[in-house]
Amino acid sequence: MKANTHPDYHFINVQMTDGTVFRTRSTWGKEGDTLALDIDPTSHPAWTGGNQRLMDQGGRVAQFNKRFGGLSLKKG
């Protein structure tokens, strides 16, 4: 294997949105740096169930009919 081709793999701290911190190894930053997350499994709607509202509204056709269902193309 060639020397000096791989990035430095070191320990960093990852800070979740709720303030908890855990230590992991990464190529990001420098040894001991803290990576502050904007979105994580404790706050993202895909994991918290926040998308449920969108699922209850129906599909695109239902949304279209709800919005434009009363329109007609007949001349009157």
Side-chain angles (χ1 to χ4, degrees), residues 7-58:
D8 181 34
Y9 194 60
H10 49 271
F11 282 101
I12 64 165
N13 298 317
V14 178
Q15 183 176 8
M16 307 287 268
T17 56
D18 63 357
T20 59
V21 177
F22 67 93
R23 188 174 167 138
T24 187
R25 293 187 59 156
S26 175
T27 58
W28 180 86
K30 297 178 183 138
E31 178 79 26
D33 282 352
T34 300
L35 174 64
L37 299 179
D38 294 331
I39 296 177
D40 62 16
T42 62
S43 65
H44 194 279
W47 288 288
T48 60
N51 285 353
Q52 190 63 36
R53 182 183 65 83
L54 296 175
M55 297 296 283
D56 294 338
Q57 291 181 351

